Amino acid sequence: MVIGSVQIANLEEFSPESMLHASNDIAAINSWLRASTKNSKHTFDSYAREARRFVIYLNSINIGLKQVKGEDIDNYLNILQYPPAHWLIPDDQQITTSTQCMSAALSESSVNHARTVIKGLFSYLNDAGYLKGNPVALTARIKSEQESMAEKALVVPAWNTFWKWVVQKTEAATEKDKALWMRNRFMCAVLYHTGMRLSSLVAARMNSFYRKNIGSELIWHLAFPMKGKRLHTVIATNSLMDELVSYRKYLGLQDFPAPAEDTPLIMAYRKKAPISPRGVEYAISEMVEQAASDCNDPFIADEIRKITPHTFRHTHATHRLLAGASLLSTQKTLGHKSITTTTIYAAVVDEMLLNESDMFGEFSEQQKIGN
């Protein structure tokens, strides 16, 4: 394969051990891979796959990185979503052309992931002075016509896979990395079980957890600021409280926070300060990239790749409804001013609503018989 005057043979040439050098396109890509993956094999493998595929495309149109225009990026993304026959690996696995590198068309989320990676490549090479301009910035992220808030939620198998991966990583972490994984696990649990926004997470304190009487029981709640600085309260699930206790025990604290414990709920890694919004985004993006790379199911991997801090909120809402919670209780938990907003999530629980309709129909018929 040739880019400009540089010959490359296969993916192995993209090596994280390569020397930082930018006298040609391949050396420039190696430099970016080394700087961007931080010696993480998971991230390296993912970025290298995208780089190799992009290099194949550039070779097919006989240009190098410095000649790429916005239209070239659009054409490339279109190929990923609607690959022509000569880009697909044949059923007999007999590769006859250099462009046969795809087993099937990529999903919208995978195409967007490819765009993000290539955009990062151009940004890095711009900062390094190797390129001038970022043609990817001229292109738009692919968006489904039916994309909605509910569609940004994870399907249940994807959430289960991601959460199981987080738990396993935490349990297998070395003593050196244990603190980071314990914090990240608790952070994911808080986001999923409460549906809180990123801004609320970074503002929450340990004493945001408090007990309140409901009937004859003392129930744990979590209070945190929402949009407009209004204070919002949700009931803390048993699963969330288990995660809280586990996290606090690791920190050497009592199981439950005291009313005077006004410390950040989520701390910055190795700092005695609250985590920043950017810190949350970075931590989650690192986990997402690794989890997707470790996933053997392409569909589930694509689902995991779309996770952002706000994905947890959408997932919380749809999973509540799937579990049988009412729209009214879900509206209250999410803090929506209008139930119309909450109703959007019901689009993904049509089967549940249909079953409830059947139940109501049976109930109505029984009432007629009773009369």
Side-chain angles (χ1 to χ4, degrees):
M1 184 189 312
V2 178
I3 292 292
S5 60
V6 181
Q7 180 76 32
I8 62 173
N10 51 42
L11 183 59
E12 281 66 42
E13 292 206 27
F14 295 121
S15 170
E17 289 80 32
S18 297
M19 295 289 291
L20 291 179
H21 185 61
S23 62
N24 54 60
D25 285 352
I26 302 308
I29 292 173
N30 275 318
S31 175
W32 163 72
L33 279 171
R34 185 181 179 88
S36 301
T37 61
K38 298 180 177 63
N39 294 321
S40 166
K41 184 179 185 303
H42 302 283
T43 307
F44 169 76
D45 289 344
S46 174
Y47 282 22
R49 279 194 298 270
E50 296 299 343
R52 179 178 183 271
R53 191 159 50 200
F54 187 57
V55 164
I56 290 173
Y57 168 71
L58 295 184
N59 184 59
S60 72
I61 59 176
N62 199 31
I63 65 172
L65 290 173
K66 295 180 180 180
Q67 289 79 48
V68 176
K69 306 297 183 185
E71 293 86 346
D72 299 318
I73 300 296
D74 276 330
N75 290 337
Y76 173 62
L77 298 178
N78 189 63
I79 285 175
L80 297 184
Q81 194 172 17
Y82 307 104
H86 64 278
W87 272 79
L88 295 173
I89 299 173
D91 294 338
D92 60 9
Q93 302 293 307
Q94 296 299 312
I95 307 298
T96 58
T97 67
S98 61
T99 57
Q100 290 176 317
C101 60
M102 299 177 63
S103 57
L106 298 189
S107 67
E108 290 167 354
S109 60
S110 292
V111 174
N112 284 327
H113 172 71
R115 178 182 177 275
T116 299
V117 172
I118 299 304
K119 185 178 181 181
L121 166 65
F122 276 91
S123 293
Y124 172 83
L125 295 181
N126 265 279
D127 292 342
Y130 183 79
L131 296 177
K132 293 182 180 180
N134 189 338
V136 186
L138 302 177
T139 66
R141 175 182 173 275
I142 295 175
K143 186 175 181 180
S144 168
E145 293 180 0
Q146 298 180 343
E147 186 174 27
S148 67
M149 289 193 299
E151 289 172 323
K152 295 175 184 176
L154 292 181
V155 295
V156 174
W159 165 254
N160 289 341
T161 299
F162 176 72
W163 178 247
K164 182 179 179 181
W165 179 88
V166 170
V167 171
Q168 290 175 341
K169 282 291 186 180
T170 305
E171 293 175 347
T174 62
E175 193 57 37
K176 176 184 176 182
D177 297 327
K178 192 74 170 181
L180 176 64
W181 280 103
M182 288 295 294
R183 185 208 66 177
N184 287 352
R185 172 176 171 170
F186 179 59
M187 180 170 65
C188 290
V190 172
L191 288 170
Y192 175 74
H193 286 285
T194 66
M196 68 167 60
R197 294 182 174 88
L198 174 58
S199 57
S200 299
L201 179 72
V202 299
R205 318 293 288 184
M206 273 295 179
N207 60 4
S208 295
F209 281 97
Y210 70 97
R211 284 190 290 183
K212 175 183 175 183
N213 276 313
I214 295 184
S216 60
E217 294 186 68
L218 271 175
I219 304 297
W220 280 99
H221 290 67
L222 179 60
F224 49 87
M226 289 191 69
K227 288 182 177 179
K229 297 184 179 180
R230 59 191 174 97
L231 195 64
H232 183 65
T233 302
V234 299
I235 294 176
T237 64
N238 291 335
S239 295
L240 177 57
M241 294 308 298
D242 289 342
E243 291 295 327
L244 172 67
V245 170
S246 177
Y247 181 51
R248 288 177 61 84
K249 281 184 176 178
Y250 173 78
L251 296 176
L253 302 173
Q254 294 182 347
D255 287 0
F256 304 107
E261 197 172 337
D262 189 32
T263 55
L265 184 63
I266 308 294
M267 301 286 286
Y269 185 48
R270 293 177 178 171
K271 295 180 181 179
K272 294 183 178 180
I275 193 169
S276 66
R278 191 165 185 172
V280 175
E281 291 169 345
Y282 177 78
I284 289 177
S285 67
E286 285 288 294
M287 286 189 288
V288 164
E289 190 57 54
Q290 292 183 35
S293 296
D294 285 346
C295 182
N296 295 323
D297 186 321
F299 172 76
I300 298 299
D302 284 347
E303 282 284 300
I304 290 173
R305 283 193 183 96
K306 73 181 183 182
I307 296 177
T308 68
H310 208 65
T311 303
F312 291 89
R313 180 172 172 83
H314 298 308
T315 303
H316 170 84
T318 53
H319 288 192
R320 272 184 62 88
L321 293 173
L322 283 168
S326 69
L327 282 171
L328 283 173
S329 69
T330 303
Q331 176 195 9
K332 181 175 177 60
T333 298
L334 294 175
H336 289 157
K337 292 182 178 180
S338 170
I339 199 170
T340 302
T341 305
T342 315
T343 305
I344 295 173
Y345 293 103
V348 297
V349 291
D350 286 342
E351 183 176 350
M352 182 192 74
L353 296 178
L354 177 60
N355 290 338
E356 289 184 354
S357 178
D358 291 341
M359 291 167 58
F360 177 74
E362 293 174 5
F363 174 78
S364 298
E365 290 299 319
Q366 290 173 0
Q367 294 300 103
K368 289 180 181 178
I369 294 172
N371 290 334

